[in-house]
Amino acid sequence: MSAEEAATSTSAPIIGPAPSTVTQDERTKQLLEDLEKIPLFMTHLPDSDEPNLAVEALKSLASDEPPLEVATNLKTEGNDCFKRGKFTEAAQYYTKALEYDHDDKSLKVSLLINRAAANLELQNYGMVLHDCADALRIRPNTVKALFRSAKACIALEKFEEATECCKWGLSIEPDNKELAALQLQVDQAIARHERRIKEREERKRQKDLIREQIKQAIEIRSDLVFDTSSDKKKRTEDEDLAVVSYPWENDSVRQVELDQHTGHLLWPVFFLYPESKESDFVEKFDESLTLRDMLQEVLAEPPLWDDRQRPKYTLDNVDTYFLSRPVGGFDEDERLVKVSMDARLGVILNNEKYIIRDGIPSFVVLPRNDPFATQFIDRYRKLRQTQEAASKRTSN
């Protein structure tokens, strides 16, 4: 074989190192991993619990830095967090920086007003005022502290204090546009606040007027009897003064009203159906209407709980009653009183046996010639008979 043939033969040995199969990206990744093991180039501390002397030495070196330098670096970290919208972390950095003791008053003031800015974003208004006050004790002419104090005061509706902060700041920097704009916001907030107070007072005045009109209307209907056995309290809209409510009032929005045009009382009324343990509620039952008038609307369609094919609860097949129990009486004192459906509500409520409880009259509706109705009526009849027999024995 000639030298030329030997040179071109595929079976000839390769002289020198074999070509690497590792890509450039893989080599770069490996290099970074190796550097990460060297404490000087570490980007984060290792998770291992085993002590690393080199790492501990670097931490010791960092702790030996002047407090002023450490505080400044922490402030920079806090500023970076603030710019990224991480206000909680920013406040934490500023707090940590304030723990270092040094004589740089400017840095202390800067940290305080920066933490106030972070807490302003977090709506921690009390902390804002605290930090700004500390800053002003160090530098009374710190306009940013006054600006942020004013914003916190506005949020807390401390408008007088907000105005004072703005005036103080503008006395230092008369041309400060941000403070001037904030002063305008304070003035507008005060106007809104005063307007809300006037509107609330007007609503209360109107409400009190209506309550007085209802009171007078009920006093005219002198035969109405209310259950006043329990002391009921009612709070005003401001929740700052407890007042005794009228006996026809309750804690719900279901209250008797007065028709300003007719002078009629409009009562909230319940129709109770003991058999099905259901009820119908009429929000405004005019006292001049009869039970039939209202039931004609309520039972216009068979109730969902009734037999839809052969309904029992129809206007022509029901009777109406009310339960009468003396004020302060017990369950065994309760009586079932039948009432004509053609009687007006106002007349029924003026019946001496009718006791209005919680300001909401109620009526029992039973189907005629029905086993349940018979049993229900008999229960009250037997209860009455038992009470009458007991009374006779007592009298004898």
Side-chain angles (χ1 to χ4, degrees):
M1 180 181 295
S2 65
E4 183 177 352
E5 290 174 338
T8 59
S9 173
T10 57
S11 61
I14 299 175
I15 301 191
S20 175
T21 59
V22 180
T23 65
Q24 180 65 34
D25 289 342
E26 290 174 331
R27 285 198 295 272
T28 301
K29 181 180 179 181
Q30 184 62 45
L31 176 61
L32 292 175
E33 290 177 354
D34 292 339
L35 287 173
E36 188 66 30
K37 297 175 182 178
I38 303 173
L40 187 61
F41 298 98
M42 284 182 177
T43 58
H44 63 277
L45 294 178
D47 296 329
S48 174
D49 293 333
E50 297 181 2
N52 186 314
L53 297 179
V55 171
E56 294 301 321
L58 285 176
K59 290 169 65 178
S60 175
L61 180 62
S63 65
D64 291 339
E65 290 181 357
L68 178 59
E69 185 175 343
V70 176
T72 302
N73 291 337
L74 289 169
K75 175 192 171 185
T76 301
E77 293 291 339
N79 291 348
D80 290 340
C81 287
F82 189 93
K83 291 174 183 176
R84 296 197 304 271
K86 297 183 177 181
F87 305 116
T88 300
E89 291 87 341
Q92 290 171 348
Y93 273 113
Y94 299 139
T95 299
K96 186 66 178 176
L98 285 165
E99 294 175 1
Y100 287 86
D101 188 22
H102 53 80
D103 297 327
D104 192 331
K105 292 184 178 180
S106 296
L107 179 58
K108 289 181 180 179
V109 169
S110 179
L111 288 168
L112 286 167
I113 61 176
N114 283 7
R115 187 167 67 176
N119 280 313
L120 197 60
E121 296 292 340
L122 296 170
Q123 299 182 4
N124 297 328
Y125 301 120
M127 298 178 70
V128 174
L129 295 175
H130 184 274
D131 280 346
C132 289
D134 285 347
L136 290 168
R137 289 188 188 97
I138 300 172
R139 293 275 175 84
N141 62 343
T142 307
V143 174
K144 285 185 177 180
L146 294 166
F147 178 83
R148 285 162 193 169
S149 292
K151 294 198 76 170
C153 287
I154 293 174
L156 296 171
E157 295 191 349
K158 296 179 178 291
F159 301 117
E160 184 176 348
E161 292 88 338
T163 299
E164 289 301 317
C165 288
C166 289
K167 287 181 178 179
W168 186 355
L170 288 170
S171 70
I172 300 169
E173 295 183 9
D175 298 328
N176 190 309
K177 294 182 179 180
E178 287 186 335
L179 266 177
L182 190 61
Q183 177 64 70
L184 180 60
Q185 289 182 32
V186 175
D187 295 339
Q188 293 171 343
I190 291 173
R192 287 194 301 271
H193 181 68
E194 291 177 346
R195 185 165 59 250
R196 285 196 299 268
I197 290 175
K198 289 181 179 179
E199 290 172 352
R200 185 164 61 244
E201 289 175 347
E202 177 59 22
R203 286 196 301 271
K204 184 178 182 304
R205 190 188 70 81
Q206 290 290 339
K207 187 175 181 179
D208 290 343
L209 176 61
I210 292 172
R211 287 185 75 212
E212 184 60 28
Q213 290 173 343
I214 293 174
K215 178 175 177 290
Q216 292 174 3
I218 288 178
E219 287 176 346
I220 292 173
R221 298 155 176 79
S222 56
D223 291 331
L224 292 176
V225 180
F226 297 92
D227 182 0
T228 57
S229 58
S230 60
D231 291 332
K232 296 184 290 183
K233 297 290 182 181
K234 181 175 182 170
R235 288 206 170 265
T236 61
E237 186 176 346
D238 292 332
E239 293 292 319
D240 59 356
L241 180 63
V243 296
V244 178
S245 70
Y246 294 129
W248 53 87
E249 295 178 324
N250 54 63
D251 294 331
S252 74
V253 296
R254 298 165 173 173
Q255 308 278 350
V256 63
E257 298 181 15
L258 180 67
D259 188 320
Q260 298 292 335
H261 299 291
T262 64
H264 294 170
L265 290 175
L266 309 176
W267 291 94
V269 172
F270 272 114
F271 285 109
L272 309 176
Y273 310 98
E275 182 179 15
S276 61
K277 298 180 181 179
E278 297 285 349
S279 64
D280 280 316
F281 177 69
V282 179
E283 187 174 357
K284 298 178 182 181
F285 193 150
D286 191 315
E287 64 180 347
S288 66
L289 298 179
T290 67
L291 296 184
R292 185 182 299 278
D293 293 331
M294 192 53 63
L295 283 173
Q296 191 168 8
E297 295 184 23
V298 172
L299 299 177
E301 295 290 337
L304 295 177
W305 39 265
D306 197 4
D307 187 335
R308 306 289 288 181
Q309 300 301 322
R310 300 176 61 186
K312 293 191 296 183
Y313 289 84
T314 61
L315 186 63
D316 297 329
N317 193 49
V318 294
D319 288 319
T320 49
Y321 305 78
F322 66 81
L323 293 172
S324 175
R325 182 174 63 190
V327 175
F330 301 96
D331 290 343
E332 55 266 27
D333 299 321
E334 197 165 57
R335 300 289 179 266
L336 185 67
V337 181
K338 188 174 182 180
V339 59
S340 171
M341 285 200 300
D342 293 317
R344 288 186 170 85
L345 176 63
V347 174
I348 300 171
L349 297 185
N350 276 282
N351 186 304
E352 62 180 5
K353 294 182 180 180
Y354 200 100
I355 311 298
I356 302 174
R357 288 183 168 83
D358 295 324
I360 304 179
S362 61
F363 296 92
V364 175
V365 181
L366 296 173
R368 293 176 190 157
N369 305 318
D370 180 81
F372 175 84
T374 301
Q375 184 181 7
F376 189 85
I377 294 169
D378 283 346
R379 186 174 69 190
Y380 282 97
R381 182 183 294 115
K382 290 177 181 178
L383 187 62
R384 186 186 72 247
Q385 291 171 350
T386 301
Q387 287 289 95
E388 289 174 350
S391 296
K392 287 181 180 179
R393 287 195 298 271
T394 304
S395 62
N396 292 334

